[in-house]
Amino acid sequence: MPATNLAQTNAAEVTIKTMVANGLDQLYCLPGVQNDDFFDALVRAGNPLKPIHTRHEQATAYMALGAALATGKPQAYCVVPGPGFLNTTTPLATAQSLCAPVLAISGQIYEQYIGKGIGFLHEIPDQLGIMRTLTKWAGHIEGPQDAAAKSRAAFDQLLSGVPGPVGLECGWNMWRSAAEVAFDDTPAVRRTPPLDLDAIKAAAKALAGAKRPIILVGGGAQDASAEVTRLSARLQAPVVAYRTGQGVLDGRNPFMHRFPAGHTLWKDVDVVIGIGTRIQHVMDWGRDDAMKIIHLDIDPARIGRTCTPDIAIVADAAEGVAALLNELDRTGGKPADRADEMKTLRAQMDGEFARLAPQKAWIDAIRAELPEDGILIEELTQISYASRLLYPVYGPRTYLSTGYQGTLGWGYPTALGAKAAMPDRAVVALHGDGGFMFGVQEMATAVAHNIGVVALVFNDNAYGNVKRIQQSNYEGRTVASDLVNPDFVRLAESFGMRTERVTTPEALRPALKAAIKANAPALIEIPVGQFPDPWSFFFRKKVRGTSSNWSMKGPD
Ligand SMILES: Cc1ncc(C[n+]2csc(CCOP(=O)(O)OP(=O)(O)O)c2C)c(N)n1
């Protein structure tokens, strides 16, 4: 390795140097005594990582997650051990499920007491084991040279293969352990698996012969937008996304479709190519011998988990699709133009979605005011579910979703992270009153660091989704789903936020426009009642052959 010899450097200093060498410039954090040496090293170095401190540890990790999802690049957080670290496990699990490159740094108790169970301050059993469960790799720093090696290994892991969170922990008395250190100051580079040209050729052959192919995309295709757009045009194939795949194909492209359109097309699809997706939901729709499935994913362990493909391609999404395009160009052939069919299907779907007109009016108002590259964060709330069908996402990484983790409470702190990492972009978050209150204290973080997220709080004084399901499944009986709320406008004002309360989509537009223009922390409360149920659009029956064992509805 190209190493510089650093005279007497401590573990904290070399960890910080590695983070800076790898392009980080912010650190989402909540300090405490076990990490004081780490933070003092940061201050002495002139804060090359701008510390952004939050009011609860969960927000440090959510902010790193939001920053990672918005930028596609590694981001880091740092917290105290035990309870501090445990407070970050929900966002860490969410980062894991979303394959987001988040570096979790946790302090530890004194090195010599770890694992002894003597009840030292913040001691928990097997912190490293918990970290390992929720990350793709985690390491314990054992000294200054080891800090150089492990923090560098952390970035290798963050960048290579399937992205995902990684973890580092360091004992209270080890951050300050110093020695002469051989330090690699070159940034880690992303390593991707070699392309299996036979698999590419087989997939290109299947796709070239397809009359009605379909492309399914998930979060793993977010950095392959240009390639997927070309593949769609080359094959005249619709692209279907549910949550995390939104924005891979521009929502204004007539070939971009939502989940229900995929279901409509499914009955006579002849070749499916899933790119960076678990292909789970579509397996509810069934498969038969007339359908070939190609699964392209960077993680071989994921292939075959929900359905056994006919052709497996282990590849980075952009590299794999580019190779497929090369092969298709080489072998020639031109499919029939399907643009008119796609436009007709979109119109048909718009007709079906008309039942969601009350949600659509709000979503249209948001889209009209959010700039082309603005970022929308969807929390688990009525408007969000509808946004998966009705909000046109114009580009990759501009629609952030929790995906299958469905983590209520992620919205506000995740939005803060996205905005902190991309301060020139407009960032708007959709919340219900229930979810917003999970992170309500972070309004103080927004104001302290002037992070101009616009929080839209759709207030129905209930865990509305829970209440609706209770009502419809239990003869109208409800339990523990009504909420007593603060006055959101006065509360936000007391934090020093810009505020407004609007009751119509028409009134939302100027309020949102002004809030985005002000580029300052803002909350707009929107009192609402129950909206039309969106769920029938998501649960769709099998239309052919046999379903996967992993039906969303579970075993019968
Ligand atoms: C961490 C977590 N806890 C609980 C849930 C279950 N849950 C899903 S939606 C929901 C209610 C959300 O209420 P609110 O944010 O007010 O939005 P609304 O449904 O009223 O629009 C709950 C409790 C969850 N998804 N995640």
Side-chain angles (χ1 to χ4, degrees), residues 109-131:
I109 62 171
Y110 278 109
E111 187 74 7
Q112 59 272 33
Y113 299 138
I114 294 173
K116 300 275 192 288
I118 55 174
F120 212 78
L121 178 68
H122 292 356
E123 180 179 353
I124 52 169
D126 199 11
Q127 176 172 287
L128 188 61
I130 298 169
M131 206 179 235

Side-chain angles (χ1 to χ4, degrees), residues 367-452:
R367 183 67 275 184
E369 295 305 335
L370 198 56
E372 172 102 13
D373 64 356
I375 298 171
L376 188 71
I377 283 82
E378 68 134 348
E379 178 109 70
L380 288 291
T381 184
Q382 304 303 304
I383 294 291
S384 281
Y385 308 135
S387 77
R388 297 173 193 171
L389 303 172
L390 301 171
Y391 175 82
V393 183
Y394 295 160
R397 302 194 178 282
T398 61
Y399 180 84
L400 309 188
S401 167
T402 54
Y404 76 81
Q405 203 59 235
T407 322
L408 191 65
W410 96 310
Y412 192 54
T414 301
L416 292 179
K419 180 73 179 172
M422 311 206 93
D424 297 336
R425 299 273 200 96
V427 176
V428 172
L430 302 175
H431 309 281
D433 46 312
F436 183 70
M437 288 290 280
F438 279 41
V440 70
Q441 71 285 348
E442 302 309 333
M443 287 195 283
T445 305
V447 171
H449 298 281
N450 194 26
I451 304 173

Side-chain angles (χ1 to χ4, degrees), residues 112 198 205 327 339 384 411 439 495:
Q112 59 272 33
D198 289 339
K205 191 165 168 223
E327 188 59 24
S384 281
F495 278 93

Side-chain angles (χ1 to χ4, degrees), residues 318-366:
E319 289 175 7
V321 177
L324 266 178
L325 282 161
N326 279 344
E327 188 59 24
L328 284 164
D329 285 348
R330 212 177 56 77
T331 48
K334 194 173 183 310
D337 188 324
R338 292 178 73 186
D340 286 344
E341 181 201 339
M342 294 296 118
K343 286 179 195 149
T344 307
L345 178 61
R346 292 263 296 226
Q348 182 194 328
M349 287 297 137
D350 288 347
E352 280 196 32
F353 298 153
R355 196 160 61 65
L356 304 179
Q359 289 101 313
K360 184 167 173 10
W362 292 106
I363 289 164
D364 285 350
I366 295 164

Side-chain angles (χ1 to χ4, degrees), residues 124-406:
I124 52 169
D126 199 11
Q127 176 172 287
L128 188 61
I130 298 169
M131 206 179 235
R132 286 200 169 121
T133 307
L134 296 174
T135 57
K136 59 183 285 205
W137 177 91
H140 174 79
I141 292 175
E142 288 168 17
Q145 188 60 62
D146 192 49
K150 296 247 172 72
S151 52
R152 169 64 194 223
F155 280 92
D156 281 333
Q157 290 285 341
L158 280 166
L159 291 176
S160 293
V162 63
V166 306
L168 286 174
E169 62 161 29
C170 183
W172 184 342
N173 50 336
M174 294 310 285
W175 282 129
R176 79 181 79 124
S177 62
E180 198 176 287
V181 173
F183 172 65
D184 182 358
D185 60 359
T186 56
V189 289
R190 178 166 164 75
R191 281 175 284 116
T192 53
L195 286 172
D196 175 349
L197 291 179
D198 289 339
I200 297 282
K201 276 191 183 135
K205 191 165 168 223
L207 287 166
K211 299 249 169 328
R212 300 191 63 75
I214 194 168
I215 302 171
L216 309 175
V217 288
Q222 283 293 340
D223 293 326
S225 173
E227 291 79 4
V228 171
T229 305
R230 278 174 55 216
L231 187 68
S232 164
R234 176 72 182 73
L235 299 173
Q236 291 292 290
V239 175
V240 174
Y242 176 37
R243 294 171 295 213
T244 57
Q246 301 261 7
V248 172
L249 197 69
D250 187 327
R252 293 162 292 194
N253 183 325
F255 284 78
M256 162 64 202
H257 293 283
R258 317 306 174 106
F259 197 66
H263 183 261
T264 303
L265 289 162
W266 199 247
K267 60 184 178 319
D268 50 13
V269 161
D270 50 4
V271 179
V272 179
I273 174 163
I275 304 169
T277 163
R278 292 169 300 126
I279 326 190
Q280 183 182 13
H281 289 76
V282 293
M283 293 315 296
D284 289 345
W285 304 342
R287 72 189 289 189
D288 54 28
D289 291 343
M291 176 188 283
K292 255 195 167 43
I293 297 182
I294 303 165
H295 195 177
L296 190 161
D297 201 288
I298 197 161
D299 183 3
R302 234 167 271 241
I303 296 180
R305 221 179 252 173
T306 53
C307 76
T308 308
D310 297 284
I311 301 167
I313 306 174
V314 178
D316 167 79
E319 289 175 7
V321 177
L324 266 178
L325 282 161
N326 279 344
E327 188 59 24
L328 284 164
D329 285 348
R330 212 177 56 77
T331 48
K334 194 173 183 310
D337 188 324
R338 292 178 73 186
D340 286 344
E341 181 201 339
M342 294 296 118
K343 286 179 195 149
T344 307
L345 178 61
R346 292 263 296 226
Q348 182 194 328
M349 287 297 137
D350 288 347
E352 280 196 32
F353 298 153
R355 196 160 61 65
L356 304 179
Q359 289 101 313
K360 184 167 173 10
W362 292 106
I363 289 164
D364 285 350
I366 295 164
R367 183 67 275 184
E369 295 305 335
L370 198 56
E372 172 102 13
D373 64 356
I375 298 171
L376 188 71
I377 283 82
E378 68 134 348
E379 178 109 70
L380 288 291
T381 184
Q382 304 303 304
I383 294 291
S384 281
Y385 308 135
S387 77
R388 297 173 193 171
L389 303 172
L390 301 171
Y391 175 82
V393 183
Y394 295 160
R397 302 194 178 282
T398 61
Y399 180 84
L400 309 188
S401 167
T402 54
Y404 76 81
Q405 203 59 235

